[in-house]
Amino acid sequence: MIRMTGVKKAFGDNRVLQGMDLHIPRGSSMVIIGGSGTGKSVALKCILGLIQPDAGTIMVDGKPAGKGDRDAFLARFGMLFQGGALFDSLPVWQNVAFRLLRGSLARPQDEAREVAIEKLRRVGLKPEVADLLPAELSGGMQKRVGLARAIAAEPEIIFFDEPTTGLDPIMAGVINDLIREIVTEMGATAMTITHDMTSVRAIADNVAMLHDGVIQWTGPVADMDNSGDPYLDQFIHGRAEGPIEAVR
Amino acid sequence: MNPMNSTMNALAALGRSVMYALARMGRMAIFGFSAFSHMVRPPYYPREFANALLNIGWLSLPVVGLTAVFTGGALALQIYSGGARFNAEAVVPQIVAIGMVRELGPVLVGLMIAARVTSSIAAEIATMKVTEQIDALVTLSTHPMKYLVAPRVLAALITVPVLVGVGDIIGIAGGYVVAVQNLGFNAAAYLQNTVDFLEINDVTSSLAKGAVFGVIAALMGCYYGMDSGRGAQGVGRATKGSVETAAILILAANFVLTGVFFSI
């Protein structure tokens, strides 16, 4: 479904991606792990066209990403941002139904509100939350609203950027379970970036480890603990000693 | 250090600054053209436009009104005391009218809009950028130039001339109150002199300046917001830069427009 081949991206002298190759099959849940600053978010933003790669190709369903009708391309994606990225000036339901209130997927306001409330219910939030502003919500609730917004238009592909960062372990578990359930029931292709190994085990079908701008290891989550890859072993066990420098 | 090297270093630093300033002006110009091109192409966001009309126009009325009324009053006092030096106290109505409508009304309203609206737009959009809300807009198939920039620039283009008109009237009213209450002018004669002295060109130039200043104020807020760096410091720099640039461009544009409208 998504195939990245030799993707490179540098910011000045900082070469973040140095030839990243990755394949995410349709309907699978791929989790990308790696230390801070290794380019996980950059890779995700390259697929969406938020950042232009310097070299390499990114194909979605066999077609180059970012070519052709951009609105139609983006309409296939949903994304949960690390900080939620909810629009402060809009009430929760309008955040969730944002895509349904304008553009090619626009629906009547009442219908869009109903969909928003249904999606909020799906992520465990009561309808009363719909008319609150994002600033009135806790961090966990904001993540859930972000998740509801990501799935509101029933996208084929969903990206999750650090979905559990900043949440307590119980709320992180709730979000992980929600992501797994939603991806399974929607049959969507998912790509998650995280450092949280609990999330990896809860969400992933496949795991890829990004280090030094390339995919160091990739395979099914069941093989992760016996990979024999020293980088992956050091990362998943959180050891200071190993091939990955602790001070970067 | 070798004096030749020092001179070359100084020239190189000057050259870098000039290149940086020119590059920034170029980016601003491209941003402005892009904003106008998005303004005339669908999709349109009427709700965002209505919010911008409210925020830029209606909610700026108190600050514009207060600025104008005190300026008009002070202007009347200044002209009266200054005119007394050569027995020209009677020209207060005419000079207040021409001063407010041609110059002080549009410039002060423009500067107040730069302080109130430009800063607010820059801080809001910069915060949206820092918190990935702009990226979120893009992933939701919404172009930030259409959703954030075009409605604000169009609203400023429409509302700031109206604010300037209101400011002109309130400024003249401020001068009228001071002249009639404190300086012993006849109320009816003051109004008649004001109306008789003003020409249509004075009013049209005032409103045209308002339109230009409004576009500058909104564009600079949007440009610096979209161009902001990371974190709280990035938002602060964007806000400060937007107000400084808008104020300087408004004063420069005022000089050019005054030359265009009133060159003899």
Side-chain angles (χ1 to χ4, degrees):
Chain A
M1 178 114 198
I2 301 174
R3 188 178 290 278
M4 303 174 76
T5 310
V7 173
K8 294 182 181 178
K9 181 66 191 177
F11 297 97
D13 295 335
N14 182 18
R15 295 190 299 154
V16 180
L17 300 180
Q18 301 181 46
M20 179 177 172
D21 298 316
L22 184 69
H23 176 229
I24 307 175
R26 179 184 294 278
S28 69
S29 174
M30 168 67 80
V31 175
I32 300 181
I33 57 175
S36 301
T38 50
K40 303 186 296 294
S41 295
V42 172
L44 192 149
K45 288 180 178 178
C46 283
I47 298 173
L48 285 169
L50 296 174
I51 294 174
Q52 289 303 315
D54 300 329
T57 57
I58 300 172
M59 309 291 275
V60 177
D61 262 351
K63 294 176 188 161
K67 296 274 164 61
D69 184 347
R70 181 131 178 86
D71 281 355
F73 174 75
L74 288 169
R76 302 174 68 186
F77 289 84
M79 175 149 178
L80 170 61
F81 285 85
Q82 186 173 349
L86 301 177
F87 305 123
D88 311 311
S89 56
L90 301 178
V92 162
W93 81 266
Q94 287 187 24
N95 265 282
V96 175
F98 192 90
R99 206 195 275 274
L100 306 177
L101 289 168
R102 40 186 74 76
S104 57
L105 301 176
R107 301 182 191 187
Q109 187 156 319
D110 289 350
E111 200 180 311
R113 185 181 163 91
E114 272 178 34
V115 172
I117 289 173
E118 173 52 32
K119 297 299 178 190
L120 286 171
R121 195 176 285 124
R122 179 67 195 85
V123 298
L125 292 172
K126 293 178 181 168
E128 297 88 82
V129 171
D131 292 312
L132 298 178
L133 288 169
E136 297 173 277
L137 306 179
S138 68
M141 290 167 90
Q142 288 188 13
K143 286 275 187 186
R144 292 191 200 206
V145 174
L147 184 53
R149 183 173 71 182
I151 62 172
E154 314 220 329
E156 296 168 58
I157 305 161
I158 314 178
F159 288 168
F160 303 98
D161 187 359
E162 306 276 8
T164 57
T165 298
L167 300 180
D168 66 67
I170 296 170
M171 184 53 69
V174 169
I175 295 287
N176 286 336
D177 292 346
L178 270 173
I179 290 174
R180 183 71 254 187
E181 287 169 22
I182 286 167
V183 168
T184 305
E185 77 187 28
M186 288 174 65
T189 304
M191 177 170 160
T192 306
I193 54 180
T194 185
H195 333 91
D196 179 354
M197 294 313 298
T198 309
S199 291
V200 177
R201 295 178 200 284
I203 297 171
D205 294 325
N206 298 301
V207 178
M209 177 161 178
L210 185 59
H211 182 70
D212 274 346
V214 295
I215 296 295
Q216 203 71 43
W217 181 87
T218 185
V221 66
D223 296 349
M224 185 174 68
D225 291 312
N226 304 306
S227 67
D229 183 272
Y231 291 89
L232 184 63
D233 279 347
Q234 184 190 354
F235 189 85
I236 64 178
H237 295 109
R239 288 194 291 261
E241 286 81 30
I244 304 172
E245 288 177 35
V247 180
R248 275 169 273 144
Chain B
M1 184 185 276
N2 185 334
M4 187 65 182
N5 283 348
S6 301
T7 309
M8 290 306 288
N9 287 343
L11 284 173
L14 180 66
R16 275 195 299 274
S17 301
V18 171
M19 292 296 284
Y20 177 80
L22 289 174
R24 168 148 276 195
M25 282 168 63
R27 285 198 298 273
M28 281 178 186
I30 291 168
F31 186 85
F33 284 123
S34 174
F36 278 100
S37 80
H38 282 289
M39 227 186 271
V40 295
R41 285 183 290 143
Y44 305 110
Y45 296 102
R47 192 189 153 92
E48 291 305 304
F49 176 61
N51 279 339
L53 282 179
L54 181 74
N55 284 324
I56 298 172
W58 181 250
L59 297 179
S60 296
L61 271 175
V63 72
V64 164
L66 287 169
T67 305
V69 76
F70 289 127
T71 305
L75 192 58
L77 289 172
Q78 286 280 16
I79 294 161
Y80 187 79
S81 65
R85 294 177 191 171
F86 43 94
N87 298 322
E89 300 96 321
V91 297
V92 168
Q94 293 90 334
I95 303 295
V96 166
I98 203 167
M100 281 308 301
V101 173
R102 279 189 175 194
E103 205 54 41
L104 289 175
V107 170
L108 289 178
V109 169
L111 293 177
M112 293 313 288
I113 292 295
R116 187 185 172 277
V117 174
T118 307
S119 59
S120 149
I121 292 175
E124 185 182 355
I125 294 180
T127 305
M128 288 183 75
K129 186 173 178 193
V130 167
T131 56
E132 295 187 302
Q133 291 178 52
I134 306 262
D135 285 346
L137 272 180
V138 176
T139 63
L140 292 164
S141 307
T142 304
H143 200 301
M145 289 296 286
K146 284 195 192 301
Y147 186 75
L148 296 174
V149 179
R152 284 166 171 80
V153 176
L154 183 59
L157 174 69
I158 293 169
T159 57
V160 176
V162 177
L163 288 171
V164 167
V166 171
D168 291 347
I169 292 166
I170 293 176
I172 289 171
Y176 165 84
V177 170
V178 168
V180 171
Q181 297 295 323
N182 296 9
L183 308 175
F185 278 77
N186 175 278
Y190 189 101
L191 288 178
Q192 193 59 52
N193 279 335
T194 300
V195 172
D196 288 347
F197 192 72
L198 279 178
E199 293 175 0
I200 192 71
N201 190 34
D202 299 329
V203 178
T204 52
S205 72
S206 187
L207 302 184
K209 283 181 175 182
V212 173
F213 299 166
V215 168
I216 290 172
L219 264 182
M220 288 305 105
C222 294
Y223 172 80
Y224 276 88
M226 300 283 266
D227 195 45
S228 123
R230 289 183 179 181
Q233 199 175 37
V235 176
R237 279 186 184 157
T239 309
K240 183 185 70 175
S242 70
V243 175
E244 285 173 352
T245 310
I248 290 166
L249 287 179
I250 283 169
L251 293 172
N254 179 58
F255 173 72
V256 173
L257 289 173
T258 302
V260 169
F261 280 109
F262 302 109
S263 59
I264 300 167

